[in-house]
Amino acid sequence: VALLAVVATLKLATMAAAGGKPAVLLLRPVDAPFAAALRDRFRVLDLYAPGQALPALAFVAAAAAVPEPPRATVIWGGVRVDASFLDAAPSLRCVVSTAAGLDHIDLAECARRGVAVANSGEVYSTDVADYAVGLLLDVLRRVSASERYVRRGSWAAQGDYPLGSKLGGKRVGIIGLGNIGSRIAKRLEAFGCIIHYNSRKPKDSVSYKYFPNVHELAAESDVLVVACALNKATRHIVNKDVLEALGKDGVVVNIGRGANIDEAELVIALREGKIAGAGLDVFEHEPKVPAELFSMENVVLSRHVAVLTEESRSDLRAHTIGNLEAFFSGQPLLTPVHADSLAQ
Amino acid sequence: MASAGGNPLVLPAVLHLRRSDADFTAALSERFRVLDFFSSGEPLPAFLAAAAAAPEPPRAAVVVGGGSVRVDASFLDAVPSLRCVLTTGAGIDHIDLAECARRGVAVANSGEVFSTDVADYAVGLLLDVLRRVSAAERYVRRGSWPVQGDYPLGSKFVHFFVLSSFSNWHHLGGKRVGIIGLGNIGSRIARRLEAFGCIIHYNSRKPKDSISYKYFGNVHDLAAESDVLIVACALNKATRHIVDKDVLEALGKGGVVINIGRGANIDEAELVVALREGKIAGAGLDVFEHEPKVPAELFSMENVVLSRHVAVFTEESRSDLRAHTVGNLEAFFSGQPLLTPVDADSLVQ
């Protein structure tokens, strides 16, 4: 392993020697346009370069050992930025995350070390909001269930069809009224929904009804949408108690993080008919999905794709480059994150 | 005059030619003498003849589209006592409006009972096609997620779909949506999609002065300047195959078609060819030309969302329909104007 590390360091030094561009530590796979855009401007130390075999932390350490080591890194949700990560690369002064959430970053630790953090800003917000509405429509109107029925050839044998549920008039309780939650609200208003919300503090700029805690929100809502960040305060914010308050006609949509919901309790609530259905893009132990959900017709299961569109991919590229260029030219980051920010 | 709970023999007779749920039938039976076709077990001509021959034959009929009952000249000949036909579906293509007008038979439809639910469903289909919701569902349900695509390896994730093309998943905002038919349903679809940042274009028989969406005089031109085509018009002579090969070509290879009208609004065979050859990007279909037959080729396509003519079906619209139908019948029998009359020249757009 020591020999491998030496070879890697030499390789990286060679990569780094190419011209006077600043070095950037790239710790996520990127497509060709993104790679080209980065290489045009920076010396890219690429964890995913073909033939690069070191595991992540070892690669980071090797990168830290090159002449003019990287002061900035581009990461995604799979990279935990904690004390040991920052210890491995003391040259880092800026972390640019392309993920939608920040739960993989120890913001306090970064702040302690004066490491600036930039997030993905509003790059994904619209697509995630659209997807949340798509999931809700699918659950209430049984779109995917109808799909399954048709695709397996069952339509010809007509029988009783389960009726869907109207979207208009439903009270939708949004947990977290940030960039994503507010867009969800605007969309659902066009369908005639009544918007309720919970967030850390009420927002003066909106007229939606505020609830100081999620239990009370659930008690007065027909739908709960999880649109908040994952942190200590919001882990299992939707728990057994909240599900009971939501009640047997209630629907849960999760486009936040799996751990925002007590998944085991959610499965029980669905099994026992304590709530009416759920639309889930995220799970506590992705990619594992509780097997019991596969046999349920009132659940829509998705695979953490709410951010993924062709358009957001190119927006992300521009946004990430923008943050890196701001950092290297001494300008303020486009989308800085502060230690006390919960990205809501 | 009808009175609830009165002697059944003096309640007005109503022909009932649809498969209704118990609540619907009960609501009618409380107020009218219901002559039910599907429980009679008789073939239609015999059923109609028997109804017509009875003392106090029925003056009103409740029908629905999509089945075997067409309200045409021979139907009306069979029951000359009919003065009013109520249809409970969203469409009226099973009723010969001109023939009814000629005979002075009033026709009422379901008004706006279903409009909101159909509009919601159209948006649901579009989101599903653009964002591949049902495709993700299939992937997860067949257990593909832990095996294909994502491999968490300690601190190293390799998402296959990051490295492959995202060209299958599309942002909704900024898309030009061409709505064919800007009536009760089309206008609701427009309002909803505006909230997502779509640009609304439309075609209908005449431009609507009260709105600011861009009007196109024909569907070909509409398709040429749209990224999405939504069929929200009635089915009649003018609109049969209104989306044809020519229109699909004009829509182009990034284009998506959504149909919550009637299967025959689209040339289905050409649609399948266009999808097979990648001439358009995808489709969301709640209706088909020969329901319940769905072209088998569509089953293997990931860029198509197939639904089984359920856009109207919610608990809420079912109870709204019940109240609405009773309302129209009571209006008729008390000599009041129908709540939602249909005129012979109306294309319900």
Side-chain angles (χ1 to χ4, degrees):
Chain A
V1 172
L3 181 61
L4 270 176
V6 167
V7 169
T9 306
L10 286 173
K11 265 197 180 153
L12 281 171
T14 314
M15 285 161 83
K21 301 180 201 158
V24 168
L25 181 59
L26 180 60
L27 297 173
R28 58 155 293 169
V30 293
D31 61 18
F34 203 160
L38 288 169
R39 284 201 182 91
D40 279 348
R41 298 161 173 81
F42 312 109
R43 284 179 287 130
V44 181
L45 308 176
D46 184 359
L47 173 64
Y48 290 91
Q52 197 303 104
L54 285 182
L57 271 186
F59 182 82
V60 170
V66 303
E68 308 210 31
R71 292 166 54 227
T73 180
V74 176
I75 63 166
W76 62 349
V79 177
R80 278 210 65 75
V81 176
D82 53 15
S84 60
F85 177 91
L86 295 168
D87 283 342
S91 59
L92 288 179
R93 311 310 306 142
C94 179
V95 173
V96 179
S97 172
T98 61
L102 291 168
D103 43 292
H104 56 295
I105 300 178
D106 185 338
L107 296 175
E109 193 59 39
C110 290
R112 251 192 299 282
R113 297 168 188 239
V115 175
V117 178
N119 68 0
S120 56
E122 296 184 33
V123 163
Y124 300 120
S125 305
T126 299
D127 286 328
V128 176
D130 290 354
Y131 203 77
V133 176
L135 282 179
L136 180 57
L137 274 164
D138 194 328
V139 177
L140 286 179
R141 301 302 305 277
R142 312 178 68 96
V143 180
S144 289
S146 193
E147 250 272 324
R148 276 195 291 282
Y149 193 85
V150 173
R151 277 180 194 252
R152 66 174 177 250
S154 297
W155 192 6
Q158 291 185 38
D160 264 352
Y161 42 80
L163 294 173
S165 184
K166 191 186 208 67
L167 180 49
K170 293 231 176 333
R171 302 161 303 168
V172 176
I174 302 177
I175 304 171
L177 205 71
N179 288 326
I180 296 173
S182 58
R183 283 166 170 78
I184 293 172
K186 178 168 161 250
R187 281 146 180 71
L188 291 179
E189 279 188 297
F191 288 84
C193 295
I194 297 153
I195 306 297
H196 295 167
Y197 75 104
N198 163 259
S199 61
R200 281 173 299 153
K201 295 186 307 259
K203 307 211 177 225
D204 298 322
S205 53
V206 304
S207 57
Y208 311 137
K209 187 172 178 187
Y210 174 77
F211 291 79
N213 65 71
V214 176
H215 176 97
E216 286 175 41
L217 179 72
E220 282 195 47
S221 298
D222 306 302
V223 176
L224 266 190
V225 179
V226 180
C228 60
L230 177 64
N231 51 55
K232 286 202 230 354
T234 62
R235 188 175 183 281
H236 285 193
I237 198 172
V238 175
N239 57 17
K240 175 177 177 173
D241 188 55
V242 167
L243 293 168
E244 261 167 34
L246 181 63
K248 65 180 187 56
D249 293 324
V251 167
V252 175
V253 172
N254 192 0
I255 43 79
R257 285 282 175 271
N260 285 121
I261 298 181
D262 182 337
E263 196 165 276
E265 288 296 338
L266 177 68
V267 174
I268 292 171
L270 286 162
R271 180 204 306 146
E272 297 182 355
K274 295 226 153 84
I275 62 171
L280 310 168
D281 187 46
V282 287
F283 300 85
E284 286 211 66
H285 308 289
E286 290 169 21
K288 289 210 294 260
V289 173
E292 225 178 312
L293 299 180
F294 291 159
S295 57
M296 295 183 185
E297 289 292 288
N298 57 342
V299 179
V300 176
L301 308 169
S302 178
R303 54 185 182 110
H304 205 152
V305 289
V307 297
L308 293 180
T309 63
E310 172 116 328
E311 292 82 354
S312 73
R313 180 192 269 206
S314 61
D315 288 349
L316 176 69
R317 183 170 66 239
H319 179 86
T320 304
I321 303 275
N323 265 315
L324 287 169
E325 290 188 319
F327 169 71
F328 283 117
S329 63
Q331 304 297 314
L333 294 173
L334 302 181
T335 51
V337 179
H338 305 295
D340 62 345
S341 159
L342 292 176
Q344 267 201 30
Chain B
M1 183 94 162
S3 58
N7 182 340
L9 288 180
V10 306
L11 294 178
V14 171
L15 281 184
H16 181 246
L17 298 125
R18 74 189 287 269
R19 294 183 197 283
S20 301
D21 60 271
D23 290 337
F24 188 93
T25 313
L28 290 188
S29 302
E30 278 170 21
R31 299 163 172 79
F32 311 108
R33 183 160 51 90
V34 178
L35 307 176
D36 185 46
F37 170 53
F38 285 101
S39 61
S40 73
E42 292 165 7
L44 186 61
F47 170 79
L48 294 178
E56 315 232 19
R59 293 167 55 225
V62 175
V63 302
V64 67
S68 45
V69 179
R70 282 199 61 76
V71 178
D72 52 15
S74 65
F75 181 94
L76 296 167
D77 282 343
V79 196
S81 56
L82 283 180
R83 310 312 304 144
C84 176
V85 173
L86 303 193
T87 182
T88 58
I92 47 168
D93 43 291
H94 53 296
I95 299 179
D96 186 335
L97 293 177
E99 195 58 42
C100 289
R102 250 192 299 281
R103 296 163 190 247
V105 174
V107 178
N109 67 0
S110 57
E112 298 184 31
V113 163
F114 297 118
S115 307
T116 300
D117 286 330
V118 176
D120 290 353
Y121 203 78
V123 175
L125 282 179
L126 178 58
L127 277 164
D128 194 329
V129 176
L130 287 179
R131 301 302 303 277
R132 299 290 177 106
V133 180
S134 289
E137 250 273 320
R138 278 194 292 279
Y139 191 90
V140 175
R141 275 179 195 255
R142 68 173 176 250
S144 292
W145 194 10
V147 177
Q148 300 169 30
D150 309 340
Y151 295 77
L153 293 170
S155 60
K156 196 168 175 173
F157 264 81
V158 180
H159 288 250
F160 275 80
F161 53 72
V162 168
L163 303 178
S164 64
S165 170
F166 275 16
S167 61
N168 295 331
W169 290 283
H170 289 283
H171 190 65
L172 182 48
K175 294 247 177 306
R176 301 161 305 168
V177 176
I179 302 177
I180 305 171
L182 204 72
N184 287 327
I185 295 173
S187 59
R188 282 168 171 77
I189 292 173
R191 269 207 296 287
R192 281 148 179 69
L193 290 180
E194 280 189 295
F196 288 83
C198 295
I199 298 153
I200 307 298
H201 295 167
Y202 75 104
N203 163 258
S204 61
R205 278 173 305 153
K206 294 185 308 261
K208 312 221 172 213
D209 298 322
S210 50
I211 53 159
S212 58
Y213 309 139
K214 187 171 178 188
Y215 174 78
F216 291 79
N218 65 73
V219 176
H220 174 98
D221 292 350
L222 178 71
E225 283 194 45
S226 298
D227 306 301
V228 176
L229 264 191
I230 302 187
V231 180
C233 59
L235 177 63
N236 51 56
K237 287 202 229 351
T239 63
R240 188 177 183 280
H241 285 194
I242 198 172
V243 175
D244 58 12
K245 175 178 178 171
D246 189 55
V247 167
L248 293 168
E249 261 167 34
L251 181 62
K253 62 183 189 60
V256 168
V257 175
I258 302 294
N259 192 0
I260 42 79
R262 284 284 174 270
N265 285 122
I266 298 182
D267 183 336
E268 197 163 277
E270 289 296 341
L271 177 67
V272 175
V273 170
L275 285 162
R276 178 201 310 143
E277 298 182 354
K279 295 224 152 82
I280 62 171
L285 309 168
D286 188 45
V287 287
F288 300 86
E289 287 211 66
H290 308 288
E291 292 168 17
K293 289 210 294 261
V294 173
E297 226 177 312
L298 299 180
F299 291 159
S300 57
M301 296 184 185
E302 289 291 285
N303 57 342
V304 179
V305 177
L306 307 168
S307 178
R308 53 192 179 99
H309 206 151
V310 290
V312 299
F313 291 131
T314 63
E315 296 279 352
E316 292 83 353
S317 69
R318 175 180 275 196
S319 63
D320 288 349
L321 176 70
R322 192 165 61 237
H324 180 87
T325 305
V326 168
N328 263 316
L329 285 169
E330 289 188 323
F332 170 71
F333 283 116
S334 62
Q336 304 297 315
L338 294 173
L339 303 180
T340 51
V342 177
D343 302 309
D345 62 347
S346 159
L347 291 177
V348 196
Q349 271 203 24

